[in-house]
Amino acid sequence: MQSEYAKALDCYQVAFNGRIQTLGERDTATLDTINGMAMVISNQGNYDKALEWYQRALHGKEKTLGKDHPSTLRTVNNMAVVFQNQREYEKALEWYQRALDGKEKTLGKGHPSTLDTVHNMANIFRKQSEYDKALVFSQRALEGYEKTLGQDHPSALRTINNMANVFANQGEYEKALRWYQRALDCKEITLGKDNLSTLNTVRSMASAFDAQNKFDKALEWYYRALDGQVNALGCHHRSTLDTVRDIAVVFEHKGEHNKALEWYQQALDGCETTLGKHHPSTLETARDIAKLRTLNA
């Protein structure tokens, strides 16, 4: 993946060099190229450098297009995403709010792009454990998506799923399961049973059952997710391995340590093959095995 980002960045650099010589830095094509470079750099995980390029794009767009132009606001939103990825949540909220104010003024409160920013703010509030605010913003996004895009649109389903996540974070697992089920019913029809978004909801339901100590139910749902992930992604994909590890955790919670060790070992073998022996996920799984073997000694 990193090699693909490097190739994309090389292409952007060539385009940037040509456009800045021919068109100048204030031309919209040049500014879009700067924004694209920032996006690739952000995807590489180089967030400070990405912010520098986004700021450069933003400065040019504000001068050329104006502060409330949709292209300018996209860059503002992208900067918020970078701060979110850095876990600088207060800064992220500040930039999302700036984007939201502009989008409501220019595009309207019900525009999908405006609602996307509302949705993103709800996620930040959830990560800050401000669950009441998270629910208010999620409900606002959901009502807008359903009115504008329809009840079965992926954006609406994503928001339903996130509301379930908030209830799960609050320990209200029955409410969470009802919202997960609502999302799942629509996703299976709209996206298909083996769609990755559908399978993520299945995993979330399994996790909620595990948290309620309903271990057999949790295993039933994790197995369902695992079957779909193996079909869609293969045995050694990181998401598949995460589910394998989740199954090990449930067996550990049940006190069935031998079965837990079998599943942990399966996860470890996959992590070593896919991620390498020194990857944090590999080391964490190895540590789990060591801890469980110590308990059984």
Side-chain angles (χ1 to χ4, degrees):
M1 183 63 76
Q2 286 297 330
S3 63
E4 293 302 315
Y5 290 142
K7 290 177 184 177
L9 199 56
D10 287 342
C11 292
Y12 272 123
Q13 188 67 57
V14 170
F16 172 71
N17 292 339
R19 285 173 175 172
I20 203 165
Q21 289 179 9
T22 308
L23 304 172
E25 180 143 348
R26 294 285 175 83
D27 187 87
T28 55
T30 307
L31 295 172
D32 285 342
T33 301
I34 294 171
N35 193 86
M37 289 177 72
M39 191 173 298
V40 174
I41 292 167
S42 178
N43 289 336
Q44 289 178 311
N46 193 346
Y47 298 127
D48 289 338
K49 188 175 180 181
L51 286 171
E52 291 176 12
W53 281 88
Y54 276 134
Q55 190 64 60
R56 184 173 177 177
L58 180 62
H59 179 73
K61 288 182 178 184
E62 287 180 337
K63 292 289 185 182
T64 305
L65 302 172
K67 290 187 176 182
D68 291 331
H69 190 278
S71 182
T72 307
L73 296 173
R74 277 196 298 273
T75 299
V76 171
N77 199 88
N78 288 345
M79 291 184 71
V81 172
V82 175
F83 285 121
Q84 181 176 343
N85 289 337
Q86 290 179 309
R87 299 184 180 180
E88 295 188 39
Y89 296 133
E90 288 303 323
K91 283 187 178 180
L93 282 172
E94 177 186 335
W95 283 84
Y96 277 134
Q97 187 64 58
R98 180 174 168 182
L100 181 62
D101 292 342
K103 287 180 179 183
E104 287 182 339
K105 179 180 177 181
T106 305
L107 303 174
K109 291 185 177 182
H111 191 280
S113 181
T114 307
L115 298 171
D116 288 344
T117 300
V118 173
H119 169 86
N120 289 338
M121 292 178 75
N123 274 339
I124 297 290
F125 287 126
R126 182 173 71 85
K127 289 178 181 181
Q128 290 181 311
S129 301
E130 296 188 44
Y131 299 127
D132 289 341
K133 285 185 179 179
L135 287 172
V136 168
F137 274 72
S138 291
Q139 188 65 49
R140 176 178 167 186
L142 179 59
E143 289 173 358
Y145 284 136
E146 289 182 335
K147 182 177 180 180
T148 306
L149 303 173
Q151 293 183 343
D152 295 336
H153 191 276
S155 293
L157 299 179
R158 178 188 61 184
T159 305
I160 291 170
N161 201 93
N162 284 352
M163 290 185 74
N165 288 339
V166 175
F167 288 123
N169 290 151
Q170 289 178 304
E172 297 188 45
Y173 297 115
E174 289 302 324
K175 278 187 180 179
L177 284 167
R178 287 198 294 273
W179 281 85
Y180 283 136
Q181 189 66 59
R182 177 178 169 183
L184 181 63
D185 290 343
C186 292
K187 285 182 177 184
E188 287 184 336
I189 294 171
T190 307
L191 305 175
K193 290 188 176 182
D194 284 341
N195 179 272
L196 298 183
S197 179
T198 306
L199 295 173
N200 285 337
T201 300
V202 172
R203 282 190 69 212
S204 296
M205 293 184 72
S207 178
F209 284 122
D210 183 34
Q212 291 178 306
N213 296 330
K214 297 180 179 179
F215 301 128
D216 290 337
K217 273 277 191 184
L219 286 171
E220 175 188 337
W221 284 84
Y222 275 132
Y223 287 144
R224 179 174 169 182
L226 182 62
D227 287 343
Q229 288 173 324
V230 169
N231 288 334
L233 301 170
C235 294
H236 290 126
H237 191 276
R238 186 168 179 178
S239 294
T240 307
L241 296 172
D242 285 344
T243 302
V244 171
R245 188 175 178 278
D246 288 335
I247 291 171
V249 170
V250 176
F251 278 120
E252 184 177 354
H253 290 166
K254 285 186 73 176
E256 297 185 31
H257 291 174
N258 288 335
K259 284 188 176 180
L261 284 170
E262 290 176 12
W263 284 90
Y264 275 130
Q265 188 62 54
Q266 183 178 333
L268 179 63
D269 293 342
C271 285
E272 287 181 342
T273 300
T274 305
L275 304 173
K277 291 187 177 182
H278 301 295
H279 189 276
S281 293
T282 306
L283 296 174
E284 184 179 358
T285 305
R287 193 163 53 244
D288 289 332
I289 292 174
K291 181 181 70 175
L292 198 53
R293 289 194 186 282
T294 301
L295 290 174
N296 286 345

